[in-house]
Amino acid sequence: HFNPEAKSWAGAYGLMQIIPSTSAAYGIDSISATPAQSVKTGVDILIRIDNYWKKYISSKEERTKFNLASYNVGLGHVIDARNLAIKYSLNPNTWENNVEYFLEQKANPKYYADPVVKFGYCRGYEPSVYVKKILSRYEHYKNVIHKKSSEQIVKNN
């Protein structure tokens, strides 16, 4: 909600909802970070995540979903879900109905205790919903910008 004072149930702070251990690794204090520091750190994290997924996922659209989920829940949990997709013969480079499905299953002991899982339990439905919400919001913002641009063109003519 663009609140620089926001704090999540998981201890993430600020505009970019960065947890203290991650922000410390990037040289800032997430609790006292300015909005500019928070955004810069969030962008740096997203670049690192995208560089990781580029090795596996060539489709920018698919990779965006993996990037968002990794930003939200952590790269390790998404890698676990990808490993489960491989184990169960689903496409490890496709988000919907493949890796997303297994990320959601990481709340189930059958899956989070599987030997291919290294990061254990997670509330996988949350990053699944997060990815959908962010992509939906992005489409909304694009439509608003397009509408405003079209109105400006008409107004100027």
Side-chain angles (χ1 to χ4, degrees):
H1 300 284
F2 301 105
N3 178 1
E5 305 296 322
K7 181 180 177 190
S8 78
W9 67 268
Y13 289 91
L15 285 176
M16 299 300 287
Q17 290 293 283
I18 302 167
I19 59 172
S21 61
T22 300
S23 64
Y26 284 84
I28 67 164
D29 174 10
S30 62
I31 298 170
S32 63
T34 66
Q37 289 172 315
S38 183
V39 170
K40 182 187 180 319
T41 301
V43 169
D44 289 346
I45 292 166
L46 284 166
I47 289 169
R48 182 182 58 82
I49 290 168
D50 189 55
N51 285 335
Y52 176 83
W53 288 119
K54 276 180 184 176
K55 295 181 279 185
Y56 304 100
I57 304 163
S58 59
S59 164
K60 187 175 179 183
E61 184 176 296
E62 281 302 309
R63 197 169 64 246
T64 296
K65 297 169 191 172
F66 282 75
N67 289 340
L68 290 170
S70 298
Y71 187 90
N72 181 262
V73 75
L75 185 60
H77 287 298
V78 181
I79 291 169
D80 282 349
R82 188 172 186 272
N83 288 338
L84 287 164
I86 292 167
K87 179 176 180 172
Y88 289 96
S89 301
L90 292 182
N91 188 333
N93 300 327
T94 299
W95 180 250
E96 292 168 9
N97 302 314
N98 288 272
V99 175
E100 176 189 38
Y101 170 79
F102 284 109
L103 187 58
E104 292 171 351
Q105 297 309 307
K106 284 195 64 190
N108 178 336
K110 173 183 176 184
Y111 296 100
Y112 72 71
D114 189 291
V116 302
V117 171
K118 305 300 179 210
F119 290 87
Y121 171 89
C122 82
R123 293 164 35 164
Y125 67 90
E126 290 180 359
S128 175
V129 169
Y130 175 82
V131 169
K132 288 178 178 109
K133 281 184 176 180
I134 295 298
L135 292 175
S136 174
R137 191 172 297 152
Y138 173 69
E139 287 302 316
H140 172 74
Y141 290 159
K142 281 192 339 187
N143 290 334
V144 168
I145 290 168
H146 177 73
K147 181 179 177 192
K148 294 288 184 191
S149 296
S150 297
E151 289 171 355
Q152 190 64 37
I153 290 169
V154 170
K155 183 179 173 182
N156 289 338
N157 289 329

